[in-house]
């Protein structure tokens, strides 16, 4: 338990405003069209930028300083496609074309966390919001009417794993500029 070890399971993410989260959850419901799946609750929908794992307080402090040292631009995303990663039945939404500022943000964060002893994810960054897991059946239609998202901050989130899914707590946020 985190209480026992003093460790927290942390990740950096983009967090959509509640209205956009609700719109995305609605798109997921439509795409699944009654098929079985473990849908992510609207208020949990996010884009993971960097996953830290279970870290101690000192590492968290280092990560927060690293995040605070970044000076990166804000940008706009058009969430305009759905996909299904069949192996895990993972239904996702994402931008078909993301501005360079998005992968740059993920890469810069990853780089800045290395001196904290955190390893960078070697897999290429694929911007997506997980809408549902364990989705059965056919992949959905790929295109969707774009949902526009002005991204002007990123957040540090604590995740507590539980039997009914993860519970997230937004700990802190940093602005993206301009
Ligand atoms: P659950 O594990 O209960 O299904 P979850 O995956 O959303 O829920 P976490 O496992 O705490 O909760 O993950 C938090 C975020 O970090 C999610 O967006 C998840 O996809 C991502 N993530 C988890 N593990 C890794 C990892 N090893 N590498 C990269 N990203 C990860
Ligand atoms: Mg997980």
């Amino acid at each position: 338990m985190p209480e026992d070890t003093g460790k927290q399971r942390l990740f950096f993410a983009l967090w959509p405003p509640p209205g956009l989260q609700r719109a995305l959850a609605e798109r997921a419901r439509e795409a699944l069209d009654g098929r079985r799946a473990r849908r992510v609750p609207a208020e949990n929908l996010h884009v993971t930028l960097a996953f830290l794992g279970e870290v101690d307080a000192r590492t968290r402090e280092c990560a927060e300083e690293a995040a605070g040292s970044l000076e990166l631009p804000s940008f706009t995303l058009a969430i305009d496609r759905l996909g299904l990663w069949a192996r895990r039945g993972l239904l996702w939404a994402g931008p078909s074309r993301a501005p360079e500022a998005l992968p740059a943000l993920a890469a810069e964060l990853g780089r800045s966390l290395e001196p904290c002893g955190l390893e960078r994810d070697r897999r290429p960054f694929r911007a997506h919001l997980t809408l549902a897991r364990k989705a059965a059946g056919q992949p959905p239609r790929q295109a969707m009417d774009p949902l526009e998202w002005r991204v002007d901050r990123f957040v540090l989130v604590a995740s507590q794993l539980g039997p009914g899914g993860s519970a997230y707590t937004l700990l802190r946020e940093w602005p993206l500029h301009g």
Side-chain angles (χ1 to χ4, degrees):
M1 297 294 284
E3 292 76 28
D4 298 331
T5 61
K7 287 195 171 186
Q8 284 179 300
R9 184 178 176 91
L10 301 180
F11 61 103
F12 285 101
L14 302 179
W15 215 263
L20 178 55
Q21 287 181 315
R22 283 193 297 271
L24 285 161
E26 179 58 23
R27 299 293 174 88
R29 207 180 56 77
E30 287 167 12
L32 288 164
D33 193 25
R35 282 177 291 129
R36 250 182 325 107
R38 226 180 78 204
R39 274 191 280 147
V40 177
E43 66 272 18
N44 281 0
L45 294 170
H46 65 273
V47 174
T48 300
L49 294 169
F51 180 74
L52 281 60
E54 311 275 340
V55 303
D56 59 22
R58 187 193 294 255
T59 306
R60 171 176 167 182
E61 206 173 302
C62 181
E64 290 193 28
E65 266 181 44
S69 73
L70 300 179
E71 288 256 0
L72 292 163
S74 57
F75 51 89
T76 300
L77 289 180
I79 307 298
D80 61 355
R81 64 172 297 202
L82 293 168
L84 188 80
W85 288 328
R87 199 166 43 82
R88 286 182 292 157
L90 191 151
L91 176 70
W92 56 270
S96 57
R97 274 166 310 178
E100 181 49 34
L102 172 54
L105 171 58
E108 284 296 309
L109 253 180
R111 221 190 319 278
S112 74
L113 293 172
E114 282 186 325
C116 304
L118 294 162
E119 238 181 85
R120 240 191 301 169
D121 200 335
R122 296 289 153 200
R123 294 171 302 180
F125 174 69
R126 287 208 276 184
H128 69 279
L129 303 109
T130 297
L131 300 175
R133 296 185 171 91
K134 299 186 176 169
Q138 294 301 305
R141 247 182 339 120
Q142 276 217 342
M144 67 176 215
D145 287 338
L147 294 166
E148 192 170 290
W149 180 8
R150 182 76 198 148
V151 180
D152 56 8
R153 63 175 188 146
F154 65 97
V155 296
L156 178 64
V157 188
S159 171
Q160 273 184 294
L161 303 176
S166 294
Y168 299 141
T169 309
L170 304 195
L171 299 173
R172 201 169 154 183
E173 67 174 66
W174 291 266
L176 296 166
H177 301 279

